[in-house]
Amino acid sequence: MSHAALSPAQAKRALAPDRYFDPEPRQKAIALELYAGIAQLPIVSPHGHVDPALFADPDRRFGNPVELLVQPDHYVLRMLASQGIAYEDLLAADEPRRVWQLFASNFHLFHATPSGLWLTHELADVFGIQETLNSASAQRIYDQIDAALAAPAWRPRALFERFNIEVLATTDAATDTLEHHQAIRASGWGGRIVPTFRPDAVVNLLVPGWADNVAALAAVSGVQIVDFRSYLSALEQRRGFFRSMGATATDISATTPATTRLGAREVDALFAAALRGEVTAGAAAQFTAHMLWEMARMSVEDGLVMQLHCGSLRNHNPTIFARYGADRGFDIPVAAEFTHNLRPLLDAFGNNPKLALILFTLDETVYARELAPLAGAYPALRLGPPWWFYDSWNGMRRYFDQVIETAGIYNTAGFNDDTRAFLSIPARHDVWRRAAANWLAGLVVRGMLGHDDAQNLACEFASGLARRAYRL
Amino acid sequence: MSHAALSPAQAKRALAPDRYFDPEPRQKAIALELYAGIAQLPIVSPHGHVDPALFADPDRRFGNPVELLVQPDHYVLRMLASQGIAYEDLLAADEPRRVWQLFASNFHLFHATPSGLWLTHELADVFGIQETLNSASAQRIYDQIDAALAAPAWRPRALFERFNIEVLATTDAATDTLEHHQAIRASGWGGRIVPTFRPDAVVNLLVPGWADNVAALAAVSGVQIVDFRSYLSALEQRRGFFRSMGATATDISATTPATTRLGAREVDALFAAALRGEVTAGAAAQFTAHMLWEMARMSVEDGLVMQLHCGSLRNHNPTIFARYGADRGFDIPVAAEFTHNLRPLLDAFGNNPKLALILFTLDETVYARELAPLAGAYPALRLGPPWWFYDSWNGMRRYFDQVIETAGIYNTAGFNDDTRAFLSIPARHDVWRRAAANWLAGLVVRGMLGHDDAQNLACEFASGLARRAYRL
Amino acid sequence: MSHAALSPAQAKRALAPDRYFDPEPRQKAIALELYAGIAQLPIVSPHGHVDPALFADPDRRFGNPVELLVQPDHYVLRMLASQGIAYEDLLAADEPRRVWQLFASNFHLFHATPSGLWLTHELADVFGIQETLNSASAQRIYDQIDAALAAPAWRPRALFERFNIEVLATTDAATDTLEHHQAIRASGWGGRIVPTFRPDAVVNLLVPGWADNVAALAAVSGVQIVDFRSYLSALEQRRGFFRSMGATATDISATTPATTRLGAREVDALFAAALRGEVTAGAAAQFTAHMLWEMARMSVEDGLVMQLHCGSLRNHNPTIFARYGADRGFDIPVAAEFTHNLRPLLDAFGNNPKLALILFTLDETVYARELAPLAGAYPALRLGPPWWFYDSWNGMRRYFDQVIETAGIYNTAGFNDDTRAFLSIPARHDVWRRAAANWLAGLVVRGMLGHDDAQNLACEFASGLARRAYRL
């Protein structure tokens, strides 16, 4: 394991202590001070997609550098693909060093992107690599990572502890038995990993295999699903089970945030038709809209926080989907409308403080126009952090800029890393904490916020808001 | 009236002389200089909702601090409500000190919001309170405000003069007799307070009591309203009366800026049906669209400036509306489209310099895409300032950023405070003047604007543009 | 040719060496250094509307200052018109000095606009005029420009060389014989001026004179157009001819980016109906959507880069259009949707690296929501630079801010000046180069990008990205 000596400038660039902050010296000094007060706070990760199996077996280790950092990361794959690199070359299983070389030789594509910042942070902070990743350094860095991954200190549980994670929420299908969560609990290990109830596969009638999913739901819940009422009972049973396993939240996704309350007969007929395999796109949309209403009702009853992720048109590229499946970087946002769409749900539950509905969007135009005014008025609403493409330095800046003046700070829900890339969690929270510190420093230096208030609010952004919004 | 000693830092924070400005020293020095040149200019307030009755009686005084600062302010109410505080606790009439305590204990909810800046400014500048409002200081500050309000110097007319208001426009129903405006004139007091003609209640066919409003319009105008023609005559009569009372402008609001010119028969039939109580949502929308056209025509004829406020879905929360009425913080914006919608009106009057049509939006996406290109071409158009949720430091920054390069400075209409909270007027104009000075300083320091030009333009933003756009 | 002495401050303001850059000293120093590395690079102008006739005759000279700088510039005309100046006064042919005086007396309308910056740059840099243009200086400056235009050094070819233009692409109708391009080639002059194939007038069935245009297409291509198949053949013949004349790209514009693949019978019937003069708006929209698909197919086959400009509602003002024709400043943007609309085209060709499709928008809301995710994934897509109203300092800032984190730098296409105002080309590229240097300096000073990488990327933005995207 050899690597070239670093010039001080290179080493400094990799992870400068004052990185990301706006350059004006007075503001930066305040930002640094605010950040220093929160840098060591434990990570609260209330929403993400890390595989709980990583932590079920104490001896589990990660795969090779490519299996770890390249192939599962659709942010990385799609950027390489966009410049003409074939998926089949990237997803080749047998020659990881060749894939790594391809990745490293094209690492310049990630200049000025969040993936570039996260990967640089991971290499430096998780693996101690100060060298820039490029064509020349590729194999050296591969060696370094590979060697580290063999060591106990780089096993998932060890990194969980090194990362100082207070709680990590996974996302789990309604039909999941949560066996890995059970194994974690049974093992006596102290890491807090909680499930999140995600019923998409049994709610969206257009999901391939919906009927099988419903059959699985019946089996796992022990509720015979013969009609809409028993379907709801099965869901309620599963929510109870998830709660017993530590879940504090649900998550549901939909292309649009349309909500409605169908009449009992209408929804019964719709569900019965779906069981018979008769589903139109319109019927599926109506069913999802009604199910958002039912999910809110259940949250009022059982206290689980409701998350709603809207606005992604999944699998936009049929060729890539057919060949490589979902989550390959071709989920493309569409415009979303919340003011009209959420009204039926809010009419019923918007004033009810038992509901905590956290909204996410891929359409920033609704931040200031719709989401901030809604969350700044309805007690049941909170705004989730910048999501997906907006989980970035500028995305966060635009979020603070467009949301806070109207919604206020306390109607936001802190940060989600929302990642399946476990190793990127500290990097992602670091960007958020620095963005919050930088934004607060901008208020302090403009006389809009007192210094003590700013320090308290920095703690809120780092973890307090998330802990409260998710009832953790 | 006792209050705790202030540390210099606290006192400084309350109203720092360089507050809000960007921190780069060269730019800030220019901003301070530009601001110094306009800070003392009289306030021109061409659009707002202050009650003229405040000024009709020279001995009129304000109510208690809660009646003055909390209960009528829907920006304040909705933020408190969004965090689960009940409207009934906030609107209790009998225990103002308890309401004030609730407000003060939650004043941190207004961190980084315009309401927070305005209230801090009002407390410091209008009442001389340097202390931060919070749970501990609540009753002390209540005492201070209450004592001040008893004194002659805090009566509405005295404050009007202290605030150095050159002209204040109110907003008045088409059926209003303007008795308070008449009383102000009759009293011989020198304050210039002018009405604005707002016909919404007789134009929007879906307003509850529309037929009664039309009957009232007939009564007050002396025109028997039997058909659309006589209805227009009655409106024209009222416009003439408003003009005779000093009005220079009208204001009309609509959910969308749809305009159309219906045929004579069509509009006659539609109006006749409405008189018979037969109105559909579609017919009401068509009628409003046609009335926008008629309002523009009347403005060409009588020279009254036409204001159009679009994009708010009023009373989104039926529970709050049923219990507490309108203007409680639940008016939520929707997307607006101007390019297609305004075309029928602009086809007829867009090139006519006799028309001055000032546009407002709650959908910022149209600033750069539609409004700036339209206002940068049609002689009849001007853009109003950032409205409502966008009447904020960042809202102003985004407005300058997205509007001016295409529309130019001279196609904008200066500032509106648009408030019913009389005491907040200086604070609101102060934010605007500082925002304009800051933005202009940014141009000067980038070599995009000469220093002398910037000083002239600062005066334009402070009052010149508004005075010209509103023909005051 | 006399003019007043300049104070140093005035001269400095006209074209300060550090103009436009953000003021923070460390960042500005980096920006200046990055800019110094690219300021002298030759101009690559891959898309614009300069008349090739200017260069066909070596002795060609420009007209008077008004014919050169005012009357053909719809950015200038519309701003003057928006303040009530009549088009007939601006377009008067017989009294250029009176028109110039009108323009100069209103030059303050261009404060803080791109036109203001470009014109100031042109006067200073092309004509050596340091004085501010205003009412008093108008005739002196007219004299200076007029005198210069008489001199050989201000002839089009001389300026082309002085401007250091490496390549200039014009935009030419599908029916154009490219006689001026032929004359340029035949003259032996070394300036590289290439045509761009723009078939709008034969694709958009609603264009007045479409049938005549198709007849002209048949004549110039030598292909008898009797059906859709022969129509396509004629287009393919012309593309081949354009390629032989140096073209590397096509350009097509549409109100929306809707694409579709119609069945053979459907499109045959639609085309046959159009030849018979039977066209509905719906049919025309469908035909354009299908032709976008065909244009992509042809690009795959012949390698011409495909440009798509969407979102302008042309000739919004019928009065001005009737009297003064197109391109008078009344083309107003409308919202655009790309995620759904482009899907049929991308399904067929999105993964094909032989296609290079460069997208332009007048609706900035799609930058981050749709265009960056699409271009950051599909190999065939690149994003064009900020277009038209967004070709401005803040427009560029917003573009970098909203596009790059998701699309990456290498999926963008560098800069287009997109102008018919030949003299403004250096000014426009200067704004872009400074904007890029300023943005990159912001990354460097925040530790997000290494200094050497930034210098390389500055070169990419200045010309490399454009050269590659346009296959020049």
Side-chain angles (χ1 to χ4, degrees), chain B residues 24-27 337-340 342-343 346-347 350-351 353 365 368-370 372-382 398 400-412 439 443 445-451 453 457, chain C residues 12-14 16 18-25 28 78-79 81-84 108-109 111-114 117 132 313-320 329-336 362-365 389-390 392-395 397-398:
Chain B
E24 200 281 319
R26 265 186 66 214
Q27 180 175 342
E337 200 284 338
F338 287 82
T339 302
H340 290 286
L342 282 185
R343 211 171 176 190
L346 293 173
D347 279 1
N351 299 310
T365 70
R369 186 178 66 216
E370 302 174 25
L374 286 165
Y378 281 99
L381 291 184
R382 295 291 181 271
R398 294 195 298 266
F400 291 128
D401 180 0
Q402 294 173 25
V403 163
I404 303 292
E405 289 183 327
T406 294
I409 290 165
Y410 293 92
N411 288 312
T412 60
W439 176 74
L443 294 175
V445 81
R446 285 172 180 79
M448 292 173 165
L449 187 69
H451 198 286
D453 290 330
L457 290 171
Chain C
K12 183 164 173 250
R13 176 167 79 75
D18 65 350
R19 64 188 179 275
Y20 314 163
F21 295 133
D22 285 343
E24 200 282 317
K28 187 187 279 193
R78 60 135 186 124
M79 183 64 87
S82 75
Q83 287 285 313
H108 62 279
L109 299 180
H111 279 321
T113 69
L117 296 186
T132 300
L313 186 70
R314 303 277 174 174
N315 308 314
H316 192 273
N317 189 328
T319 308
I320 296 297
F330 284 92
D331 300 327
I332 309 292
V334 291
L362 294 174
D363 178 0
E364 289 178 316
T365 70
F389 301 108
Y390 308 133
S392 66
W393 185 257
N394 289 314
R397 204 181 34 66
R398 294 195 298 267

Side-chain angles (χ1 to χ4, degrees), chain C residues 264-277:
Chain C
R265 280 191 202 171
E266 196 173 0
V267 70
D268 284 349
L270 211 154
F271 188 80
L275 282 181
R276 293 193 304 273

Side-chain angles (χ1 to χ4, degrees), chain C residues 21-41:
Chain C
F21 295 133
D22 285 343
E24 200 282 317
R26 264 186 67 214
Q27 180 175 341
K28 187 187 279 193
I30 300 168
L32 277 163
E33 192 190 336
L34 294 174
Y35 176 71
I38 57 174
Q40 306 306 324
L41 290 180

Side-chain angles (χ1 to χ4, degrees), chain C residues 50-249:
Chain C
V50 171
D51 183 356
L54 288 175
F55 308 97
D57 171 2
D59 297 324
R60 169 77 176 243
R61 49 160 293 184
F62 290 107
N64 66 44
V66 159
E67 288 165 345
L68 179 63
L69 297 174
V70 177
Q71 289 170 338
D73 189 334
H74 56 79
Y75 293 73
V76 168
L77 294 177
R78 60 135 186 124
M79 183 64 87
L80 296 167
S82 75
Q83 287 285 313
I85 300 170
Y87 270 79
E88 61 182 331
D89 291 335
L90 294 169
L91 296 175
D94 50 347
E95 292 180 278
R97 283 180 177 274
R98 212 167 59 95
V99 176
W100 184 260
Q101 187 69 42
L102 198 55
F103 168 57
S105 303
N106 287 284
F107 194 59
H108 62 279
L109 299 180
F110 299 95
H111 279 321
T113 69
S115 294
L117 296 186
W118 297 330
L119 286 161
T120 300
H121 184 284
E122 285 172 63
L123 294 180
D125 205 51
V126 181
F127 296 104
I129 295 163
Q130 296 290 323
E131 210 177 1
T132 300
L133 182 64
N134 57 32
S135 183
S137 65
Q139 298 306 324
R140 276 194 303 277
I141 289 176
Y142 188 98
D143 288 336
Q144 285 181 275
I145 298 171
D146 210 37
L149 293 176
W154 276 268
R155 291 195 184 143
R157 286 192 178 185
L159 288 176
F160 188 98
E161 286 155 10
R162 203 212 290 180
F163 292 169
N164 193 20
I165 298 177
E166 177 181 310
V167 56
L168 176 74
T170 61
T171 305
D172 311 87
T175 51
D176 198 302
T177 57
L178 305 181
E179 58 177 325
H180 300 303
H181 290 86
Q182 305 215 37
I184 293 166
R185 291 193 157 200
S187 75
W189 177 57
R192 184 176 174 201
I193 297 179
V194 300
T196 301
F197 180 76
R198 185 179 203 171
D200 292 1
V202 292
V203 165
N204 182 349
L205 304 180
L206 298 176
V207 166
W210 176 79
D212 295 341
N213 298 338
V214 170
L217 176 65
V220 74
S221 67
V223 177
Q224 210 184 335
I225 299 179
V226 296
D227 55 14
F228 185 63
R229 182 179 304 255
S230 48
Y231 165 78
L232 290 184
S233 295
L235 288 173
E236 286 163 356
Q237 192 279 344
R238 296 313 292 157
R239 291 172 67 109
F241 174 64
F242 272 65
R243 283 181 66 211
S244 75
M245 290 298 295
T248 69

Side-chain angles (χ1 to χ4, degrees), chain A residues 204-215 225-226 268-281 283-284:
Chain A
N204 182 348
L205 304 181
L206 298 176
V207 165
W210 175 79
D212 296 341
N213 299 337
V214 169
I225 299 179
V226 296
D268 284 348
L270 212 153
F271 187 81
L275 283 181
R276 292 193 307 271
E278 298 161 9
V279 179
T280 64

Side-chain angles (χ1 to χ4, degrees), chain A residues 339 351 378 401 405-406 446, chain B residues 20 22 316 333 392 397-398:
Chain A
T339 302
N351 300 308
Y378 281 99
D401 181 0
E405 289 184 327
T406 295
R446 284 172 179 79
Chain B
Y20 315 160
D22 286 343
H316 191 272
S392 67
R397 204 180 34 65
R398 294 195 298 266

